[in-house]
Amino acid sequence: MSASRPIQCLFAKAKTPSRLCPRRTFQTGTRLQARRTPKHKSIKASDLGLVKRKASDPELTAEDLRPYSENEKAALAKRYTPEQLAAIEAGEAAVDLNDLAEQGAAREDAMKLNYLDDFSSIHPVVDKPVRAPEENYDPNLRFKTEDELAGDLTKWVKDLPDEPTRLDWMKFMDNTRLTVGKPEAELNPRSYLAPEIPKLDILKRNVMGNEEIDPATRRLMRQTGFDSTDIRRIRVKQLIQHRVTNQTRLGRISSYYYLAVAGNGKGLIGIGEGKSSEHEEARQQARSAAIRNMQPIPMYEGRTIFGDVKGKVSATEVELMTRPPGFGVRCQSLIFEICRCAGIQDMAARVTRSRNHMNTVKATLQALLSQRLPEEIARARGRKLVDVRKVYYGGNL
């Protein structure tokens, strides 16, 4: 090895300018050398007209906000105590009248609220609830006994003034505690429950407006427990309708027969029959009977049935087969309407032997109700059911 090579390497290092090792950047854009100046300037509230009123609005000055008159004070004295009146006057004196005149204007910009709110209370739906701290929880909290409550009442009676008023009793009811322990645990307890949603009168209004509910719907509401909105959302389909004749000694008596299927699209299904001398009455009978006879059927993943099932009514045999997602409902028209009312999306069916329409509908319902759940089969065999999809797919089904 030549001795000049190390010397050449030393001279090469001396000629190389000293610089820091460049850092690796993980973004595709250019590197920001300094803080970027904002594109838009800050807008003040005075420029938006939030502080001062518009020229079109009536001008409000501090002189317009006059103090209470003697007549108004006399009216307030009938409702408030002298201490409360003094607190009201002290609070109004602490507020500058110029601030009320300038900042009390309603906002007219795009970010204004669509309702009037003084922000004095928390709305349980719109605002974020303020929960009590964890320190307010007291594991040793208990209710007072009868003797302790009687002692509090006796002490209050002894401390009563010569001329007691109703206000003294109200103060006693507000200040008397019913528990023994931390005062915060009773006055401001810690709760993990969500706040109650207020019951608004606008939500109680009937969707039908002033239209009255017919007697048939009222009868269904009493028999099934559904309200008028739930009954209107139920899908009802007339599957079979024909004219029948009964021969009697008085002659031939004609009537009309209807068979209907009803379902909510979420696993409830039922069939009903109606027979009457009038079309509308027979149809209404079938509809009411189908809604009353609705029963829940098991559904796998909310789209198909559990395995292959069979149903038989008289000479009609129906076989229902489960199918993968996206297969659709490929079957006879009557079975298709039943699946549509029940909410089944993937299924195949086969009707063997007799294809009587009435028996086909009844055999299909019988097959849907005869499904066996995997949990029942595992329990009957003494086994434990494990869903391996949660292992192989991580629960993403």
Side-chain angles (χ1 to χ4, degrees):
M1 182 176 178
S2 175
S4 61
R5 185 174 183 84
I7 300 174
Q8 184 181 1
C9 293
L10 291 175
F11 284 110
K13 288 184 180 179
K15 294 180 181 179
T16 305
S18 61
R19 59 180 179 179
L20 298 176
C21 180
R23 295 183 180 179
R24 182 178 179 184
T25 57
F26 294 93
Q27 65 271 8
T28 58
T30 57
R31 211 164 147 191
L32 298 179
Q33 300 297 337
R35 185 177 180 183
R36 182 182 297 173
T37 57
K39 186 176 180 181
H40 304 283
K41 296 183 179 180
S42 300
I43 302 176
K44 298 181 180 180
S46 58
D47 299 338
L48 295 175
L50 303 180
V51 177
K52 297 182 180 179
R53 293 179 177 270
K54 296 183 179 181
S56 58
D57 297 338
E59 181 111 10
L60 182 65
T61 59
E63 288 75 13
D64 298 333
L65 303 173
R66 56 182 179 80
Y68 288 118
S69 62
E70 297 298 332
N71 297 333
E72 293 174 345
K73 290 182 179 180
L76 292 175
K78 297 179 181 179
R79 185 172 182 180
Y80 299 102
T81 61
E83 293 80 5
Q84 293 175 338
L85 284 176
I88 292 174
E89 292 178 355
E92 292 189 352
V95 178
D96 191 2
L97 299 181
N98 294 325
D99 293 343
L100 290 178
E102 294 180 359
Q103 301 182 8
R107 296 177 58 171
E108 298 293 339
D109 59 308
M111 303 301 295
K112 67 176 181 179
L113 298 177
N114 295 328
Y115 55 91
L116 297 177
D117 195 350
D118 57 354
F119 304 103
S120 60
S121 60
I122 297 176
H123 197 280
V125 177
V126 180
D127 301 329
K128 182 179 180 180
V130 178
R131 302 186 183 276
E134 293 283 353
E135 293 76 12
N136 290 10
Y137 174 71
D138 187 5
N140 300 323
L141 189 70
R142 65 172 181 84
F143 285 99
K144 288 185 177 180
T145 61
E146 295 183 359
D147 297 337
E148 292 173 343
L149 293 176
D152 295 340
L153 182 60
T154 304
K155 182 179 178 182
W156 173 73
V157 172
K158 290 181 179 179
D159 298 340
L160 274 177
D162 297 336
E163 296 181 359
T165 60
R166 185 181 179 183
L167 183 61
D168 297 331
W169 171 253
M170 295 174 63
K171 289 182 178 179
F172 171 73
M173 294 298 296
D174 293 340
N175 299 331
T176 301
R177 294 184 52 198
L178 302 178
T179 59
V180 177
K182 285 185 179 181
E184 298 83 2
E186 179 183 353
L187 302 178
N188 189 18
R190 174 69 178 180
S191 176
Y192 294 95
L193 300 178
E196 273 189 33
I197 298 179
K199 298 180 180 180
L200 305 179
D201 296 336
I202 190 174
L203 300 179
K204 298 181 181 180
R205 292 186 305 179
N206 192 357
V207 180
M208 301 176 62
N210 298 328
E211 185 179 354
E212 296 183 358
I213 303 177
D214 57 311
T217 305
R218 290 187 180 276
R219 193 180 307 112
L220 282 176
M221 293 169 60
R222 291 194 299 267
Q223 293 172 348
T224 61
F226 296 143
D227 55 8
S228 59
T229 305
D230 297 334
I231 294 178
R232 285 196 302 272
R233 291 177 179 174
I234 294 176
R235 180 181 178 84
V236 182
K237 180 69 176 180
Q238 307 294 337
L239 299 181
I240 303 172
Q241 52 182 346
H242 55 253
R243 181 170 174 244
V244 295
T245 304
N246 186 21
Q247 181 67 37
T248 64
R249 62 184 181 86
L250 301 177
R252 294 181 178 180
I253 300 177
S254 301
S255 58
Y256 300 94
Y257 172 84
Y258 277 80
L259 189 145
V261 59
N264 64 344
K266 299 179 181 179
L268 280 180
I269 192 68
I271 61 174
E273 299 174 303
K275 188 176 180 181
S276 177
S277 58
E278 299 292 337
H279 278 285
E280 185 61 28
E281 186 177 353
R283 187 190 65 80
Q284 184 64 32
Q285 288 181 8
R287 175 180 178 273
S288 302
I291 296 177
R292 287 196 305 267
N293 298 334
M294 286 195 307
Q295 304 178 49
I297 60 173
M299 295 174 59
Y300 177 69
E301 294 182 351
R303 59 171 186 84
T304 186
I305 59 177
F306 284 90
D308 300 346
V309 291
K310 295 182 179 180
K312 183 178 182 299
V313 174
S314 296
T316 304
E317 294 182 358
V318 176
E319 182 180 0
L320 307 180
M321 295 158 284
T322 181
R323 287 296 181 264
F327 184 84
V329 181
R330 306 181 189 180
C331 54
Q332 194 188 59
S333 60
L334 298 175
I335 304 178
F336 175 83
E337 294 295 340
I338 296 177
C339 295
R340 190 177 181 183
C341 293
I344 299 175
Q345 303 172 9
D346 304 299
M347 195 189 73
R350 183 186 298 114
V351 182
T352 59
R353 298 183 61 188
S354 173
R355 302 194 177 183
N356 181 273
H357 289 179
M358 295 171 54
N359 294 338
T360 300
V361 174
K362 296 177 182 178
T364 302
L365 183 62
Q366 181 188 85
L368 290 175
L369 295 176
S370 63
Q371 300 181 60
R372 296 187 64 188
L373 298 178
E375 291 82 0
E376 298 177 357
I377 299 176
R379 193 182 303 111
R381 296 179 180 178
R383 302 291 182 178
K384 180 180 179 181
L385 182 67
V386 178
D387 193 352
V388 297
R389 298 174 305 168
K390 295 182 179 180
V391 178
Y392 289 103
Y393 299 102
N396 299 324
L397 307 179

